[in-house]
Short mmCIF file of all heavy atoms in Angstrom, two decimals:
data_model
loop_
_atom_site.label_atom_id
_atom_site.label_comp_id
_atom_site.label_asym_id
_atom_site.label_seq_id
_atom_site.Cartn_x
_atom_site.Cartn_y
_atom_site.Cartn_z
N ARG A 1 30.55 -5.41 21.37
CA ARG A 1 31.10 -4.90 20.11
C ARG A 1 29.94 -4.29 19.34
O ARG A 1 28.77 -4.53 19.65
CB ARG A 1 31.74 -5.99 19.29
CG ARG A 1 30.79 -7.14 18.94
CD ARG A 1 31.32 -8.08 17.90
NE ARG A 1 30.48 -9.25 17.68
CZ ARG A 1 29.36 -9.25 16.95
NH1 ARG A 1 28.94 -8.12 16.37
NH2 ARG A 1 28.64 -10.33 16.80
N PRO A 2 30.23 -3.50 18.29
CA PRO A 2 29.11 -2.98 17.46
C PRO A 2 28.36 -4.10 16.79
O PRO A 2 28.94 -5.08 16.30
CB PRO A 2 29.84 -2.08 16.44
CG PRO A 2 31.12 -1.69 17.08
CD PRO A 2 31.51 -2.88 17.92
N ALA A 3 27.05 -3.99 16.72
CA ALA A 3 26.21 -5.00 16.11
C ALA A 3 26.16 -4.78 14.61
O ALA A 3 26.16 -3.63 14.15
CB ALA A 3 24.81 -4.97 16.70
N ASP A 4 26.14 -5.88 13.83
CA ASP A 4 26.00 -5.77 12.40
C ASP A 4 24.67 -6.42 11.97
O ASP A 4 23.93 -6.94 12.79
CB ASP A 4 27.20 -6.36 11.65
CG ASP A 4 27.38 -7.86 11.90
OD1 ASP A 4 26.38 -8.62 11.84
OD2 ASP A 4 28.51 -8.30 12.14
N GLU A 5 24.40 -6.41 10.68
CA GLU A 5 23.12 -6.86 10.18
C GLU A 5 22.90 -8.35 10.42
O GLU A 5 21.70 -8.81 10.47
CB GLU A 5 22.97 -6.54 8.70
CG GLU A 5 22.94 -5.07 8.36
CD GLU A 5 24.33 -4.47 8.09
OE1 GLU A 5 25.33 -5.22 8.30
OE2 GLU A 5 24.43 -3.31 7.69
N ALA A 6 23.94 -9.15 10.54
CA ALA A 6 23.79 -10.59 10.70
C ALA A 6 23.47 -10.96 12.15
O ALA A 6 23.10 -12.11 12.41
CB ALA A 6 25.06 -11.30 10.25
N ASP A 7 23.66 -10.05 13.08
CA ASP A 7 23.42 -10.36 14.49
C ASP A 7 21.90 -10.43 14.73
O ASP A 7 21.12 -9.59 14.27
CB ASP A 7 24.04 -9.30 15.39
CG ASP A 7 25.53 -9.34 15.41
OD1 ASP A 7 26.08 -10.45 15.53
OD2 ASP A 7 26.18 -8.29 15.28
N PRO A 8 21.47 -11.45 15.48
CA PRO A 8 20.04 -11.55 15.83
C PRO A 8 19.64 -10.41 16.79
O PRO A 8 20.46 -10.00 17.61
CB PRO A 8 19.93 -12.90 16.51
CG PRO A 8 21.29 -13.19 17.05
CD PRO A 8 22.26 -12.57 16.06
N VAL A 9 18.43 -9.89 16.61
CA VAL A 9 18.00 -8.81 17.48
C VAL A 9 17.84 -9.33 18.90
O VAL A 9 17.45 -10.48 19.12
CB VAL A 9 16.68 -8.20 16.96
CG1 VAL A 9 16.88 -7.58 15.57
CG2 VAL A 9 15.53 -9.21 16.94
N ARG A 10 18.15 -8.45 19.83
CA ARG A 10 18.01 -8.76 21.27
C ARG A 10 17.47 -7.55 21.96
O ARG A 10 18.19 -6.79 22.65
CB ARG A 10 19.39 -9.16 21.87
CG ARG A 10 20.00 -10.36 21.20
CD ARG A 10 21.35 -10.73 21.80
NE ARG A 10 21.23 -11.16 23.18
CZ ARG A 10 22.26 -11.62 23.91
NH1 ARG A 10 23.48 -11.70 23.38
NH2 ARG A 10 22.08 -12.00 25.13
N PRO A 11 16.15 -7.30 21.80
CA PRO A 11 15.59 -6.08 22.34
C PRO A 11 15.53 -6.14 23.87
O PRO A 11 15.44 -7.20 24.48
CB PRO A 11 14.16 -6.03 21.76
CG PRO A 11 13.85 -7.48 21.48
CD PRO A 11 15.16 -8.10 21.09
N ASP A 12 15.56 -4.94 24.47
CA ASP A 12 15.53 -4.83 25.95
C ASP A 12 14.62 -3.65 26.29
O ASP A 12 14.97 -2.53 26.05
CB ASP A 12 16.94 -4.62 26.48
CG ASP A 12 16.94 -4.47 27.99
OD1 ASP A 12 15.99 -4.90 28.65
OD2 ASP A 12 17.93 -3.90 28.53
N GLY A 13 13.45 -3.94 26.86
CA GLY A 13 12.52 -2.87 27.20
C GLY A 13 11.33 -2.83 26.26
O GLY A 13 11.41 -3.32 25.13
N PRO A 14 10.25 -2.21 26.69
CA PRO A 14 8.98 -2.19 25.89
C PRO A 14 9.15 -1.55 24.55
O PRO A 14 8.65 -2.07 23.54
CB PRO A 14 8.04 -1.39 26.78
CG PRO A 14 8.58 -1.49 28.16
CD PRO A 14 10.05 -1.59 28.02
N TYR A 15 9.85 -0.39 24.47
CA TYR A 15 9.99 0.26 23.16
C TYR A 15 10.79 -0.62 22.20
O TYR A 15 10.37 -0.81 21.04
CB TYR A 15 10.66 1.63 23.32
CG TYR A 15 11.06 2.20 21.99
CD1 TYR A 15 10.07 2.63 21.10
CD2 TYR A 15 12.37 2.31 21.60
CE1 TYR A 15 10.40 3.13 19.86
CE2 TYR A 15 12.74 2.81 20.37
CZ TYR A 15 11.75 3.22 19.48
OH TYR A 15 12.11 3.70 18.27
N ALA A 16 11.91 -1.14 22.68
CA ALA A 16 12.77 -1.99 21.83
C ALA A 16 12.01 -3.23 21.34
O ALA A 16 12.14 -3.63 20.19
CB ALA A 16 14.01 -2.36 22.59
N HIS A 17 11.24 -3.84 22.21
CA HIS A 17 10.45 -5.03 21.79
C HIS A 17 9.42 -4.64 20.74
O HIS A 17 9.17 -5.42 19.81
CB HIS A 17 9.78 -5.65 23.02
CG HIS A 17 10.65 -6.57 23.82
ND1 HIS A 17 10.89 -7.87 23.47
CD2 HIS A 17 11.39 -6.34 24.93
CE1 HIS A 17 11.73 -8.44 24.34
NE2 HIS A 17 12.02 -7.51 25.24
N GLY A 18 8.82 -3.44 20.86
CA GLY A 18 7.88 -2.98 19.84
C GLY A 18 8.55 -2.82 18.50
O GLY A 18 7.97 -3.18 17.45
N VAL A 19 9.73 -2.26 18.50
CA VAL A 19 10.46 -2.03 17.24
C VAL A 19 10.85 -3.35 16.61
O VAL A 19 10.72 -3.58 15.40
CB VAL A 19 11.72 -1.16 17.48
CG1 VAL A 19 12.53 -1.03 16.20
CG2 VAL A 19 11.31 0.21 17.97
N ALA A 20 11.34 -4.30 17.44
CA ALA A 20 11.72 -5.60 16.92
C ALA A 20 10.52 -6.34 16.37
O ALA A 20 10.61 -7.03 15.31
CB ALA A 20 12.40 -6.43 18.04
N ALA A 21 9.39 -6.23 17.05
CA ALA A 21 8.16 -6.87 16.55
C ALA A 21 7.73 -6.26 15.19
O ALA A 21 7.25 -6.97 14.30
CB ALA A 21 7.03 -6.71 17.56
N SER A 22 7.92 -4.95 15.06
CA SER A 22 7.57 -4.26 13.78
C SER A 22 8.47 -4.78 12.70
O SER A 22 7.97 -5.05 11.58
CB SER A 22 7.72 -2.75 13.96
OG SER A 22 6.76 -2.26 14.83
N GLU A 23 9.75 -4.88 12.95
CA GLU A 23 10.67 -5.44 11.95
C GLU A 23 10.24 -6.83 11.51
O GLU A 23 10.20 -7.14 10.28
CB GLU A 23 12.08 -5.52 12.52
CG GLU A 23 12.87 -4.24 12.50
CD GLU A 23 14.36 -4.45 12.68
OE1 GLU A 23 14.81 -5.63 12.55
OE2 GLU A 23 15.07 -3.49 12.95
N ALA A 24 9.91 -7.68 12.47
CA ALA A 24 9.52 -9.06 12.12
C ALA A 24 8.23 -9.07 11.28
O ALA A 24 8.11 -9.84 10.30
CB ALA A 24 9.30 -9.88 13.39
N ARG A 25 7.29 -8.20 11.64
CA ARG A 25 6.03 -8.15 10.87
C ARG A 25 6.29 -7.66 9.45
O ARG A 25 5.73 -8.18 8.49
CB ARG A 25 5.06 -7.21 11.61
CG ARG A 25 3.62 -7.30 11.14
CD ARG A 25 2.98 -8.60 11.60
NE ARG A 25 2.98 -8.73 13.03
CZ ARG A 25 2.02 -8.26 13.82
NH1 ARG A 25 0.96 -7.63 13.31
NH2 ARG A 25 2.07 -8.41 15.15
N ILE A 26 7.16 -6.64 9.31
CA ILE A 26 7.47 -6.13 7.96
C ILE A 26 8.12 -7.20 7.10
O ILE A 26 7.73 -7.42 5.95
CB ILE A 26 8.42 -4.90 8.09
CG1 ILE A 26 7.67 -3.71 8.68
CG2 ILE A 26 8.98 -4.52 6.71
CD1 ILE A 26 8.59 -2.60 9.13
N ARG A 27 9.07 -7.90 7.67
CA ARG A 27 9.81 -8.93 6.89
C ARG A 27 8.89 -10.10 6.50
O ARG A 27 9.07 -10.72 5.43
CB ARG A 27 11.03 -9.39 7.68
CG ARG A 27 12.04 -8.29 7.88
CD ARG A 27 13.22 -8.70 8.70
NE ARG A 27 14.18 -9.46 7.95
CZ ARG A 27 15.40 -9.81 8.36
NH1 ARG A 27 15.79 -9.44 9.59
NH2 ARG A 27 16.20 -10.49 7.60
N SER A 28 7.93 -10.41 7.36
CA SER A 28 7.04 -11.51 7.04
C SER A 28 6.04 -11.12 5.94
O SER A 28 5.62 -11.94 5.14
CB SER A 28 6.29 -11.99 8.26
OG SER A 28 5.37 -11.00 8.74
N ARG A 29 5.63 -9.85 5.92
CA ARG A 29 4.64 -9.39 4.96
C ARG A 29 5.28 -8.92 3.65
O ARG A 29 4.64 -8.97 2.60
CB ARG A 29 3.81 -8.24 5.56
CG ARG A 29 3.10 -8.56 6.87
CD ARG A 29 1.95 -9.52 6.62
NE ARG A 29 1.28 -9.90 7.85
CZ ARG A 29 0.32 -9.19 8.43
NH1 ARG A 29 -0.06 -8.02 7.92
NH2 ARG A 29 -0.24 -9.58 9.55
N HIS A 30 6.52 -8.43 3.73
CA HIS A 30 7.18 -7.90 2.53
C HIS A 30 8.69 -8.21 2.63
O HIS A 30 9.47 -7.38 3.04
CB HIS A 30 6.98 -6.37 2.48
CG HIS A 30 7.34 -5.74 1.16
ND1 HIS A 30 8.11 -6.36 0.19
CD2 HIS A 30 7.05 -4.51 0.63
CE1 HIS A 30 8.27 -5.56 -0.82
NE2 HIS A 30 7.64 -4.44 -0.63
N PRO A 31 9.06 -9.43 2.25
CA PRO A 31 10.47 -9.84 2.39
C PRO A 31 11.45 -8.96 1.67
O PRO A 31 12.66 -8.96 2.00
CB PRO A 31 10.47 -11.28 1.81
CG PRO A 31 9.05 -11.73 1.95
CD PRO A 31 8.22 -10.50 1.73
N ARG A 32 11.02 -8.21 0.66
CA ARG A 32 11.90 -7.33 -0.11
C ARG A 32 11.99 -5.93 0.44
O ARG A 32 12.64 -5.05 -0.11
CB ARG A 32 11.46 -7.26 -1.56
CG ARG A 32 11.55 -8.57 -2.33
CD ARG A 32 13.00 -8.93 -2.59
NE ARG A 32 13.71 -7.91 -3.36
CZ ARG A 32 15.02 -7.89 -3.51
NH1 ARG A 32 15.77 -8.79 -2.93
NH2 ARG A 32 15.60 -6.94 -4.22
N ALA A 33 11.40 -5.69 1.62
CA ALA A 33 11.45 -4.36 2.24
C ALA A 33 12.86 -4.02 2.66
O ALA A 33 13.64 -4.90 3.06
CB ALA A 33 10.48 -4.29 3.41
N LEU A 34 13.20 -2.74 2.57
CA LEU A 34 14.49 -2.21 3.05
C LEU A 34 14.27 -1.64 4.43
O LEU A 34 13.50 -0.68 4.61
CB LEU A 34 15.03 -1.15 2.10
CG LEU A 34 16.24 -0.34 2.54
CD1 LEU A 34 17.44 -1.23 2.80
CD2 LEU A 34 16.54 0.75 1.53
#
């Protein structure tokens, strides 16, 4: 089904893992980031 914001990320492949890691880093450093 379509993923929504509450769904945990499940990256597949090097690029997707890099994006997910970036998201996690952003949220840890700036929790109010959009």
Side-chain angles (χ1 to χ4, degrees):
R1 58 167 175 80
D4 62 46
E5 295 90 354
D7 289 314
V9 298
R10 300 179 65 175
D12 179 21
Y15 170 69
H17 278 278
V19 175
S22 294
E23 280 197 14
R25 195 71 60 88
I26 291 167
R27 296 177 78 170
S28 68
R29 302 290 178 84
H30 192 344
R32 293 290 300 167
L34 170 61

